[in-house]
């Protein structure tokens, strides 16, 4: 099952330049794996030590997957996954 | 070429007001725009609620991102406050700067009576200050 994945400019550089792409998978983790197969290095910018990176946010439709089942969150036909870097810093 | 971020005075005042309201914690928010013109200022929740760090609450970030998408806006500027230090990006600000399309605007309340607002680009770890014009 292929679903739409939206990314910001910073992540678009890692997947060939487009802000939107399609990926296969039945969970968030599988979708990230599929993108990483076609764009090696993508996943290590999103996942660290088996969890979504602290400074990256992954959303299934309009929900942060941290509040769902993280990488195991199941995907359905027509879902949209968005990958946004955290907007963060510190003095 | 001089690159200038032009913002309505009301939005600059709004960022300063937000910084003062959230002090001593850092405040953060986003100015959305189109073709370099500001369209809307979004205050965001600082999930860190800290005087030393900010992180736009992830649900806030998505809500703002989607509203921008629906309106054809992009993130023109990302702002946050430094309540006790200069209006200049810290090493942490640079390390976590992952929105190259946006200006980074810093509001300093170091001199409480005279807030300072400055604009920067942060690209691949390099800081460049840009002129900030009130219109």
């Amino acid at each position: 099952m292929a679903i739409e994945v939206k990314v910001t400019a910073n992540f678009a550089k890692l997947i060939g330049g487009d802000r939107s792409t399609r990926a296969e998978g039945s969970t968030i983790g599988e979708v990230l794996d599929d993108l990483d197969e076609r764009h090696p290095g993508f996943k290590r910018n999103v996942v660290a030590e088996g969890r979504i990176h602290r400074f990256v946010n992954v959303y299934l439709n309009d929900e942060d997957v941290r509040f769902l089942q993280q990488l195991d969150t199941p995907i359905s036909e027509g879902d949209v996954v968005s990958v946004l870097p955290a907007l963060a810093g510190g003095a | 070429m001089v690159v200038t971020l032009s913002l309505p005075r009301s939005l600059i005042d709004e960022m300063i007001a937000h910084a003062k309201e959230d002090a001593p914690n850092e405040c953060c928010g986003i100015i959305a725009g189109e073709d370099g013109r500001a369209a809307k200022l979004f205050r965001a929740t600082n999930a860190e609620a800290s005087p030393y760090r900010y992180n736009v609450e992830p649900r806030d970030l998505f809500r703002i991102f989607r509203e921008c998408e629906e309106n054809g806006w992009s993130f023109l500027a990302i702002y946050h406050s430094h309540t006790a230090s200069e209006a200049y990006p810290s090493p942490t600000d640079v390390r976590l700067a992952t929105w190259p399309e946006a200006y980074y605007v810093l509001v300093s309340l170091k001199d409480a009576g005279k807030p300072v607002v400055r604009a920067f680009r942060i690209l691949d770890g390099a800081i460049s200050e840009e002129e900030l014009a009130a219109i």
Side-chain angles (χ1 to χ4, degrees):
Chain A
M1 176 178 52
I3 53 113
E4 182 182 11
V5 181
K6 294 181 178 180
V7 299
T8 62
N10 208 44
F11 284 119
K13 288 188 294 190
L14 303 174
I15 60 167
D18 289 331
R19 297 277 301 270
S20 173
T21 188
R22 295 191 75 77
E24 298 272 349
S26 58
T27 62
I28 291 286
E30 287 179 15
V31 164
L32 297 177
D33 285 340
D34 182 47
L35 280 173
D36 196 63
E37 268 178 38
R38 287 179 288 126
H39 307 285
F42 175 78
K43 191 176 172 184
R44 70 165 178 266
N45 286 274
V46 179
V47 175
E49 294 171 356
R51 298 173 69 88
I52 291 167
H53 195 289
R54 182 177 168 207
F55 291 111
V56 175
N57 301 310
V58 178
Y59 305 87
L60 175 63
N61 302 318
D62 57 1
E63 186 60 270
D64 183 340
V65 302
R66 285 190 187 90
F67 296 98
L68 299 172
Q69 295 168 60
Q70 307 232 20
L71 293 172
D72 296 329
T73 304
I75 304 243
S76 305
E77 191 79 46
D79 281 343
V80 177
V81 172
S82 303
V83 183
L84 311 186
L87 216 167
Chain B
M1 187 182 72
V2 177
V3 182
T4 302
L5 171 62
S6 299
L7 293 177
R9 167 56 66 186
S10 60
L11 294 190
I12 295 173
D13 290 344
E14 168 71 8
M15 289 188 286
I16 293 169
H18 189 190
K20 287 180 173 173
E21 283 173 40
D22 283 11
N25 290 342
E26 294 194 5
C27 76
C28 52
I30 293 159
I31 295 175
E34 194 175 356
D35 300 330
R37 288 192 307 277
K40 182 172 176 178
L41 182 148
F42 295 89
R43 288 188 178 205
T45 302
N46 178 2
E48 300 278 342
S50 158
Y52 310 111
R53 303 187 73 85
Y54 78 97
N55 189 351
V56 171
E57 201 283 315
R59 286 168 168 166
D60 258 11
L61 177 63
F62 188 76
R63 177 180 58 79
I64 297 165
F65 185 78
R66 189 169 57 183
E67 186 172 333
C68 288
E69 232 185 16
E70 287 167 358
N71 287 285
W73 301 333
S74 55
F75 286 8
L76 176 62
I78 292 160
Y79 72 89
H80 76 282
S81 60
H82 284 177
T83 52
S85 56
E86 303 288 343
Y88 192 82
S90 69
T92 306
D93 290 335
V94 174
R95 186 168 57 83
L96 296 177
T98 45
W99 294 78
E101 61 270 56
Y103 288 89
Y104 283 82
V105 172
L106 278 288
V107 180
S108 171
L109 301 181
K110 189 180 177 193
D111 180 348
K114 199 179 170 197
V116 175
V117 184
R118 295 164 69 184
F120 303 86
R121 289 278 191 192
I122 306 175
L123 296 175
D124 298 325
I127 301 167
S128 58
E129 181 157 13
E130 311 291 351
E131 190 181 340
L132 173 61
I135 52 173

